[in-house]
Amino acid sequence: ALRLSDTVAQFGDTLAQQSRLDHEAQELRGFRSRFRRWGDVDFPRPTLETPSVLIESFLPGELVVGIAKRARNFDDLKQGLDRKTGAYLVTRGEDLYLKMLLEDKVMHADLHPGNLLYDGEILVSLSILWGLNIRQARAISVVDAGMVSPLTHSESDRFVGLIEAIGAADHRAAAKNLRAFDPANAKNLSREQVRAFDDEVRTLFREKCRGYGTGVDFGDVVRGLLELVRKHRVRIGAQYATLVINALCLDGMAGDLLPGYSVLDGARPLLSAHRWFVSRGIPVLGPFVFRRLCLPV
């Protein structure tokens, strides 16, 4: 269902590119340029690269995977992980994902908590007017940019269409977008197979997906859809597989660090703005407004 041969071929190309560390340096420069306006998000700066050697700047912080593990084991009830820290990591992580998906069309292909660093530095300042001021400067750093998935506009639009279909509890649109994840599905799937797949997607939505604002377990719905994709032999391209895996990583991180938070509801404002200004908006002007007024910075 996940087009194993094509996925293996693409993964082989990705590994070949990753073995060329000068290529990773180029991707890091691209990420740094695209996120240059984000004061609290950073990527390592390449200082020296050859095909076999890459020297990067040092970025402080603790791996988010370790923070999530402690939170999952409830150890941080004693260590003082506050809800603000969890909220910052989850919502900023979602901002990162959506910017790559909606604006950049370049997705970090390994965007999991093991490649995110959190730096919650305590800053102390003294002023004549305000006296002693103590605040926490939060920052996220993203590492390991060797695996990158460039997206076409149609790939981005189809995946956004799937997320919006889940948010609207629209089983027909969800099934249609999933089948569009590989052009070969239109030729390889019979009418009976399409009907059976669509029927089971409808059943899944009836049981688990009632749309925005209803506490939908996004990860559970996506895993259910993947199981139906496997069962009915619906093919999915490797780029879409990367988007799905990253989305599930984000949902899992939210479950550990910010229980009760819905990544689906969190994405709704930006997805709606993208639909009105980019998908249905005036060419050139709509994307400009979205980029300048709607995207987080």
Side-chain angles (χ1 to χ4, degrees), residues 37-38 92 95 98-99 102-103 269-278 285-297:
R37 296 176 59 204
W38 292 40
R92 208 51 169 155
D95 289 343
L98 291 173
K99 182 181 186 303
L102 300 176
E103 173 65 15
L270 199 57
L271 291 176
S272 297
H274 182 269
R275 181 173 67 253
W276 286 108
F277 288 110
V278 179
L285 178 60
F288 175 81
V289 172
F290 176 76
R291 186 167 52 253
R292 288 297 182 182
L293 300 182
C294 302
L295 278 177
V297 293

Side-chain angles (χ1 to χ4, degrees), residues 42-287:
D42 201 3
F43 292 79
R45 183 181 70 256
T47 57
L48 175 66
E49 73 268 6
T50 71
S52 57
V53 176
L54 173 60
I55 299 177
E56 307 172 352
S57 59
F58 173 78
L59 295 176
E62 178 183 3
L63 286 175
V64 173
V65 67
I67 299 174
K69 183 177 180 180
R70 292 201 312 273
R72 187 164 57 246
N73 294 333
F74 301 103
D75 291 338
D76 270 338
L77 292 177
K78 299 177 181 178
Q79 298 183 28
L81 175 67
D82 59 12
R83 187 173 176 84
K84 289 183 179 180
T85 299
Y88 170 78
L89 289 170
V90 171
T91 56
R92 208 51 169 155
E94 189 166 22
D95 289 343
L96 277 166
Y97 180 88
L98 291 173
K99 182 181 186 303
M100 293 179 188
L101 173 65
L102 300 176
E103 173 65 15
D104 301 337
K105 306 295 190 292
V106 178
M107 179 64 65
H108 189 301
D110 205 14
L111 197 62
H112 59 77
N115 282 334
L116 300 177
L117 294 168
Y118 170 67
D119 183 22
E121 181 183 5
I122 302 296
L123 302 178
V124 179
S125 61
L126 183 65
S127 73
I128 297 176
L129 292 177
W130 304 108
L132 185 65
N133 180 33
I134 301 176
R135 63 185 178 90
Q136 187 172 28
R138 306 179 191 274
I140 291 179
S141 300
V142 187
V143 299
D144 194 7
M147 297 175 64
V148 174
S149 292
L151 304 171
T152 65
H153 284 278
S154 61
E155 287 170 340
S156 174
D157 290 344
R158 286 171 187 150
F159 192 75
V160 170
L162 174 62
I163 299 175
E164 290 182 333
I166 295 174
D170 186 344
H171 63 88
R172 292 186 182 87
K176 180 180 179 180
N177 278 287
L178 280 169
R179 294 197 310 273
F181 281 6
D182 190 318
N185 287 322
K187 179 177 65 176
N188 296 337
L189 295 176
S190 67
R191 291 184 179 180
E192 290 73 18
Q193 287 175 305
V194 170
R195 188 178 302 112
F197 175 68
D198 289 3
D199 286 345
E200 291 214 42
V201 171
R202 181 177 66 246
T203 300
L204 174 69
F205 271 53
R206 185 185 302 122
E207 295 174 352
K208 297 185 176 182
C209 183
R210 297 185 180 275
Y212 290 124
T214 62
V216 171
D217 187 333
F218 178 76
D220 193 30
V221 173
V222 171
R223 286 186 290 270
L225 290 172
L226 289 178
E227 175 58 27
L228 295 181
V229 162
R230 182 199 63 79
K231 178 179 178 180
H232 294 277
R233 300 182 179 276
V234 177
R235 302 175 71 177
I236 290 181
Q239 303 289 53
Y240 295 107
T242 296
L243 293 170
V244 169
I245 291 170
N246 279 349
L248 289 175
C249 287
L250 175 63
D251 183 74
M253 185 173 74
D256 289 334
L257 297 175
L258 195 61
Y261 177 80
S262 169
V263 296
L264 183 64
D265 291 339
R268 184 179 187 178
L270 199 57
L271 291 176
S272 297
H274 182 269
R275 181 173 67 253
W276 286 108
F277 288 110
V278 179
S279 301
R280 302 177 182 176
I282 302 173
V284 181
L285 178 60

